[in-house]
Amino acid sequence: MKISYNWLKQFLKLDWEAEKTGELLTNLGLEVEGISLFESIPGSLEGIVVGHVLSCEKHPDADRLKLTTVDIGLEKPVQIVCGAPNVAEGQMVPVATIGSTLHTNEGETLKIKKGKIRGVESHGMICAEDELGLGDNHDGIMILSEGLIPGTACSEIFKIENDEVFEIGLTPNRADAMSHHGVARDLKAGLIQRDIHTELITPSVSNFNVENRSLKIDVSVENNNLAPRYCGVTLSNLIVQPSPDWLKNRLRAIGLSPINNVVDATNYVLHELGQPLHAFDADRILGKKIIVKTLPSGTKFMTLDGEERILDKEDLMICDDEKPMCIAGVFGGINTGVTENTKSIFLESAYFDPVSIRKTAKRHGLNTDASFRFERGVDINNVEYCLRRAALLIREITGGDITSDIIDLYPRKKDDYQVFLSFEKIEALIGQKIPADTIKSILASLDIKVKNATESGLGLLIPFYRVDVQREVDVIEEILRVYGYNNIDSKEKLNASIASTSRFEDHKLEKLIGDLLASRGFYEILTNSLTTPGYDKLIDNNSEESRVTILNPLSTDLSVLRQNMLFNALETVSYNINRKKQNLNFFEFGKTYQQIKSKYIESKHLSLIVTGIRNENSWIAPSKPTDFYFLKAAVELVLERLGITNYESFSEQNDIFHEGLSLNKNKTELVSFGMIQKAILKEFDIKQDVFYADFNWDALSKIISKNEIIFEKISRFPEVKRDLALLLDTGISFDEIKTIAYDTERNLLKSITLFDVYTGKNLPPEKKSYALGFTIGDPHKTLTDKQIDKIMKKLQQRFEKELGAVLR
């Protein structure tokens, strides 16, 4: 939000530097993010002086150029080549001297240098209006009044306003500070706290009077809940034209473009007092009636920006006897706006329900200065005052008349909020005792009235417009920000307690696994929980019945909560592949959402998604594509790090996986992973294989929270490794071998590994060769060769007997 310092000074007589005022505003909670300079004439005409044309002759080498000598207050006149058709001897003209910079209306700059034009030296430039930013005329040079002294700075002739503009990062709860008056009110409270007492000057409306009652427009409000207060008045005999310079400068300083004197006046009051207003061309109001109502869904309406919008049945509209004219509190219609032909207007000032305005603005993708304020809550008790202020301003700058009494429909008056403020609670929250007189002074400066006072506290009436101050703690926050956070003493002793937390807290486990995956070359992604409902059609598990739909979505692409982590991950993969990043290893912690029998279920997941190649081609090793086993190793690594072992595996083939596995423990699925179906990848325009794993993080957390960590002393005695090469039937699995081995030697066999598999040449049909490694050890003694040979003999005999194995 932009606040003009010159405008602010109309409310408070203050001679502080802008930086000092900005510091105070920031301390009050209105954080000043920056201060910029505004010049009503770009460059402030620096280096532009009055020149007297002493002579004007045709350029010796160009038909359309003139060679002039100009007195600009120096010892000798200067020679300037000019191409304007109206330059003539004896004129007083603006001259841009050597070294000056011109700022045009188009925002361009031109540095004036000494130069030659068609072989003739030129020492400056005689300027037109638009070249100085003084107007739009470029038909010829600007002719100044006679009697001016050559060399006089043009900045002394033309009225230039320089301003400093605060960029305030306004928090959404501070609806009361969305105007220059609101900021001045806060600033006054801060000044009083610093023993600087100054009056808050508000615009007077005492001279409001009705010239005649020649234009009456009837107003009715069908839904008082959506429009609790609605005011209006008519003005006639207007002359719509550009606004006076002072009004243009005020609006330009805060980044607004002037339109015409009527619209500019409504914008001025909006930013002055925080009350949005709207002016309708009264001649276009059919039936001379204003009806505030909702219309059936599907009604078409053309707004000021030329777009046709489809209305919802909950959109509050301002209508005449036949048609809608304006989306209430949001945007006007194209057919009833003020134009240069407008002679009379109906001026509206109202309070609309903030929730209704916010929904309408979001529904139509509109964010206007009016909706910004209405949806946060304006001052309902200021509606009529602001209408009077705007009507007087319009009458002043258009020469019109007020031609009706004010219509004020306010059936149910809004009461101020009542809060009891405890002195004990103030001290407990702030940590320091603030004198009661100081508290009362701060409250009075914020328009908070003391209804009654006791030894224990104060009974308060909070103005209705302070929508953010409705509880005792809110009042204490107001007192503290005005009193000053910096004025609260810091204690010499700070007490702190150490919290006892479980090592299984979710954020700790997330960090543990996140660090593990990152060390293995994975990158963490964070995707939106909102997604498109179209993805649910790709798999049967996601149904419309279980979908959680957003009531007021920003767009159809973000209208439901995801039921699956896969599709957001595939969007990220597709995005990267389209930018030539084809080798991807991603992981994400996130939640999925479902609705089952009117009950909402939120589940946490860890997803892994990999595609491309594992490593780039190099002289050490050729590149290898990412495959199922690469993902399987990552999955097992995660489970191993979490201390989860002895799980069962099942084949998984469904709408998501072409080939996959599901790992379960105690009939609970821990993770499912595999190769994604080609049909799903096609929806995301992905042409390479993608592998995906979905961990049930809630189940994992529950299991590991029950795990007991068992520590074993490292054996002092060495372990021994022995190998066997066995010829087996192709149908025998490694799991069968492992089961027999551990059953044969339960105590001393530490591990068994498969380090080579061979099939093919020199082997009988339907046979394969397994190279197995066995690790044997005794924690209490060193094993002898005789003991080791005995164990290996037992293993060999079991393999031969039960598997038909042959030692190679």
Side-chain angles (χ1 to χ4, degrees):
M1 183 181 71
K2 294 182 183 293
I3 294 294
S4 157
Y5 199 18
N6 287 349
W7 201 342
L8 205 58
K9 289 177 182 177
Q10 292 180 199
F11 293 96
L12 293 172
K13 300 301 181 185
L14 190 63
D15 58 358
W16 280 10
E17 293 180 354
E19 288 76 9
K20 188 175 180 182
T21 302
E23 288 178 9
L24 178 53
L25 288 172
T26 298
N27 290 337
L28 288 167
L30 302 177
E31 183 181 1
V32 175
E33 298 175 340
I35 303 174
S36 58
L37 298 178
F38 167 77
E39 297 169 322
S40 59
I41 299 175
S44 297
L45 300 181
E46 186 176 351
I48 314 299
V49 299
V50 174
H52 181 208
V53 181
L54 301 178
S55 66
C56 181
E57 301 174 355
K58 181 178 173 297
H59 191 288
D61 207 19
D63 292 337
R64 295 187 179 182
L65 297 180
K66 302 288 181 63
L67 186 60
T68 67
T69 55
V70 185
D71 178 8
I72 59 172
L74 303 178
E75 292 182 4
K76 293 181 181 181
V78 296
Q79 180 174 273
I80 299 176
V81 176
C82 181
N86 64 331
V87 64
E89 183 179 329
Q91 293 173 335
M92 305 301 290
V93 295
V95 177
T97 58
I98 301 297
S100 61
T101 301
L102 295 180
H103 299 260
T104 65
N105 290 334
E106 289 74 28
E108 299 176 354
T109 59
L110 174 63
K111 184 84 170 177
I112 303 301
K113 300 177 182 179
K114 176 183 174 181
K116 282 187 178 183
I117 301 177
R118 290 290 185 94
V120 177
E121 287 189 357
S122 182
H123 300 264
M125 177 178 171
I126 304 175
C127 303
E129 273 188 11
D130 65 333
E131 292 167 337
L132 297 175
L134 292 170
D136 300 321
N137 192 338
H138 194 69
D139 294 336
I141 60 170
M142 188 176 186
I143 310 299
L144 303 178
S145 302
E146 295 183 5
L148 295 174
I149 301 173
T152 302
C154 285
S155 58
E156 298 176 11
I157 301 171
F158 297 98
K159 189 175 180 181
I160 300 174
E161 181 173 349
N162 294 322
D163 198 357
E164 292 164 299
V165 181
F166 300 107
E167 184 67 48
I168 294 179
L170 193 69
T171 52
N173 64 312
R174 291 302 307 277
D176 63 296
M178 293 187 296
S179 65
H180 285 75
H181 178 264
V183 173
R185 181 171 48 213
D186 253 23
L187 191 56
K188 179 193 172 186
L191 291 170
I192 291 174
Q193 186 57 33
R194 287 152 182 78
D195 291 327
I196 300 173
H197 295 269
T198 181
E199 182 185 359
L200 181 62
I201 304 167
T202 54
S204 173
V205 295
S206 59
N207 62 340
F208 179 92
N209 63 286
V210 181
E211 276 79 15
N212 60 73
R213 293 173 175 80
S214 59
L215 180 58
K216 182 184 178 184
I217 292 182
D218 296 324
V219 178
S220 64
V221 177
E222 294 187 359
N223 191 329
N224 293 120
N225 292 325
L226 298 182
R229 188 173 190 182
Y230 191 91
C231 295
V233 70
T234 64
L235 291 93
S236 303
N237 306 319
L238 309 178
I239 300 175
V240 178
Q241 58 187 358
S243 298
D245 288 341
W246 70 266
L247 179 50
K248 290 181 180 178
N249 290 338
R250 286 285 178 268
L251 296 179
R252 285 172 177 156
I254 58 174
L256 298 182
S257 298
I259 299 172
N260 59 53
N261 48 8
V262 174
V263 175
D264 293 349
T266 60
N267 284 333
Y268 180 87
V269 174
L270 180 148
H271 289 277
E272 179 186 46
L273 301 173
Q275 173 64 46
L277 303 111
H278 190 74
F280 300 91
D281 189 327
D283 293 331
R284 300 185 182 184
I285 300 176
L286 302 180
K288 299 304 178 190
K289 289 183 181 179
I290 293 286
I291 307 169
V292 184
K293 63 180 181 179
T294 56
L295 296 174
S297 294
T299 302
K300 296 179 179 180
F301 178 66
M302 186 79 73
T303 47
L304 275 170
D305 56 1
E307 285 196 29
E308 186 176 73
R309 302 185 186 276
I310 307 301
L311 301 180
D312 186 85
K313 63 181 180 180
E314 295 183 357
D315 293 335
L316 186 65
M317 302 296 295
I318 311 299
C319 308
D320 62 15
D321 205 23
E322 296 183 9
K323 65 182 185 304
M325 301 188 297
C326 175
I327 302 177
V330 180
F331 211 22
I334 198 168
N335 295 319
T336 55
V338 175
T339 68
E340 65 274 7
N341 299 319
T342 299
K343 301 301 179 186
S344 58
I345 63 168
F346 175 80
L347 185 62
E348 165 197 280
S349 179
Y351 177 92
F352 299 117
D353 176 61
V355 175
S356 171
I357 297 299
R358 179 169 179 79
K359 287 182 177 181
T360 296
K362 294 297 181 186
R363 190 179 295 121
H364 295 289
L366 293 169
N367 183 21
T368 61
D369 284 338
S371 67
F372 179 80
R373 285 158 178 79
F374 276 129
E375 66 190 29
R376 286 161 175 79
V378 298
D379 186 357
I380 195 170
N381 296 312
N382 227 21
V383 169
E384 185 190 6
Y385 165 73
C386 292
L387 181 68
R388 290 174 181 268
R389 166 64 173 155
L392 287 173
L393 183 57
I394 292 172
R395 183 176 71 177
E396 175 189 340
I397 62 179
T398 65
D401 301 319
I402 298 174
T403 52
S404 76
D405 292 316
I406 288 179
I407 299 168
D408 186 4
L409 303 182
Y410 190 16
R412 292 192 297 272
K413 191 177 186 302
K414 298 289 185 180
D415 296 324
D416 292 337
Y417 307 110
Q418 296 190 34
V419 173
F420 181 77
L421 179 64
S422 165
F423 293 133
E424 184 181 353
K425 187 67 173 289
I426 296 173
E427 186 175 351
L429 287 182
I430 294 178
Q432 181 173 314
K433 187 171 184 179
I434 298 176
D437 290 341
T438 301
I439 292 173
K440 292 177 182 178
S441 173
I442 292 173
L443 294 173
S445 67
L446 295 172
D447 290 345
I448 298 175
K449 297 176 183 178
V450 178
K451 185 178 180 183
N452 53 67
T454 65
E455 290 185 1
S456 60
L458 303 172
L460 304 176
L461 286 177
I462 314 295
F464 180 78
Y465 68 85
R466 288 309 305 267
V467 293
D468 61 322
V469 184
Q470 299 181 18
R471 304 169 299 167
E472 184 180 19
V473 290
D474 297 331
V475 179
I476 295 173
E477 182 184 3
E478 289 295 292
I479 293 170
L480 181 55
R481 73 177 181 84
V482 176
Y483 182 75
Y485 291 96
N486 295 334
N487 294 326
I488 303 299
D489 297 330
S490 298
K491 295 183 179 180
E492 295 182 0
K493 182 181 179 182
L494 295 176
N495 297 323
S497 59
I498 299 174
S500 175
T501 59
S502 169
R503 63 178 178 273
F504 300 116
E505 284 192 6
D506 192 70
H507 70 94
K508 293 182 179 179
L509 296 176
E510 269 195 34
K511 187 176 186 309
L512 179 74
I513 299 305
D515 289 345
L516 173 68
L517 292 170
S519 70
R520 295 299 192 274
F522 282 77
Y523 290 90
E524 185 172 12
I525 59 174
L526 182 63
T527 61
N528 200 337
S529 295
L530 298 174
T531 187
T532 175
Y535 290 155
D536 292 342
K537 300 175 183 178
L538 299 178
I539 54 178
D540 290 337
N541 290 342
N542 294 0
S543 63
E544 288 190 25
E545 292 75 17
S546 60
R547 183 188 297 166
V548 179
T549 305
I550 304 301
L551 295 178
N552 200 17
L554 295 174
S555 67
T556 54
D557 290 338
L558 298 172
S559 59
V560 298
L561 288 169
R562 64 186 174 195
Q563 298 187 63
N564 194 295
M565 299 279 289
L566 171 63
F567 303 121
N568 298 75
L570 286 175
E571 285 180 347
T572 305
V573 169
S574 177
Y575 181 90
N576 280 270
I577 290 175
N578 289 338
R579 285 153 183 81
K580 305 301 180 184
K581 300 291 183 182
Q582 297 175 317
N583 308 319
L584 306 170
N585 299 326
F586 292 145
F587 74 94
E588 178 182 15
F589 291 96
K591 293 184 177 181
T592 60
Y593 310 85
Q594 287 184 313
Q595 182 182 6
I596 299 177
K597 295 181 180 179
S598 73
K599 183 179 179 181
Y600 293 102
I601 298 175
E602 184 177 294
S603 306
K604 188 164 185 178
H605 296 258
L606 164 64
S607 65
L608 310 181
I609 192 161
V610 297
T611 186
I613 60 174
R614 299 190 206 181
N615 58 283
E616 296 290 344
N617 200 21
S618 71
W619 65 274
I620 299 175
S623 62
K624 292 183 179 180
T626 297
D627 55 15
F628 174 83
Y629 296 102
F630 174 78
L631 180 62
K632 181 174 183 287
V635 168
E636 292 176 343
L637 185 68
V638 170
L639 295 177
E640 181 183 350
R641 187 66 185 87
L642 292 173
I644 298 176
T645 56
N646 300 327
Y647 41 77
E648 299 176 290
S649 63
F650 299 93
S651 177
E652 183 95 355
Q653 192 168 0
N654 51 34
D655 293 337
I656 295 178
F657 298 122
H658 174 66
E659 294 177 350
L661 284 179
S662 172
L663 304 184
N664 295 14
K665 187 177 180 70
N666 301 330
K667 297 182 179 180
T668 300
E669 184 177 86
L670 303 179
V671 57
S672 60
F673 59 97
M675 178 189 289
I676 298 175
Q677 295 275 11
K678 298 290 185 183
I680 294 178
L681 297 180
K682 186 177 180 181
E683 291 291 327
F684 295 87
D685 195 27
I686 298 174
K687 298 179 176 62
Q688 59 193 58
D689 290 340
V690 179
F691 302 89
Y692 174 73
D694 182 20
F695 288 87
N696 184 343
W697 189 258
D698 293 328
L700 294 176
S701 300
K702 187 175 181 180
I703 289 173
I704 64 175
S705 65
K706 297 177 181 179
N707 282 356
E708 291 186 6
I709 298 177
I710 300 174
F711 296 94
E712 291 185 357
K713 189 176 181 180
I714 297 175
S715 175
R716 295 187 295 113
F717 302 100
E719 294 179 341
V720 178
K721 292 186 178 181
R722 290 286 189 270
D723 298 335
L724 284 180
L726 300 177
L727 189 64
L728 302 161
D729 292 339
T730 55
I732 296 172
S733 67
F734 174 65
D735 279 343
E736 293 179 78
I737 297 173
K738 190 161 59 171
T739 301
I740 292 172
Y742 283 120
D743 185 58
T744 303
E745 181 53 61
R746 298 176 183 273
N747 298 322
L748 302 182
L749 181 60
K750 301 299 181 183
S751 67
I752 176 173
T753 58
L754 174 64
F755 62 86
D756 186 49
V757 178
Y758 176 73
T759 58
K761 189 178 180 181
N762 299 327
L763 289 184
E766 303 298 323
K767 293 290 183 179
K768 62 183 176 182
S769 173
Y770 269 10
L772 303 167
F774 300 86
T775 302
I776 304 168
D778 190 329
H780 306 295
K781 63 182 180 180
T782 300
L783 293 174
T784 63
D785 288 341
K786 187 176 181 181
Q787 291 173 306
I788 296 168
D789 291 340
K790 184 178 179 180
I791 293 171
M792 294 304 297
K793 189 67 175 177
K794 284 168 57 180
L795 290 171
Q796 181 183 339
Q797 289 173 349
R798 284 288 301 271
F799 294 149
E800 291 173 348
K801 181 179 179 182
E802 298 186 24
L803 301 177
V806 177
L807 186 65
R808 293 189 70 196

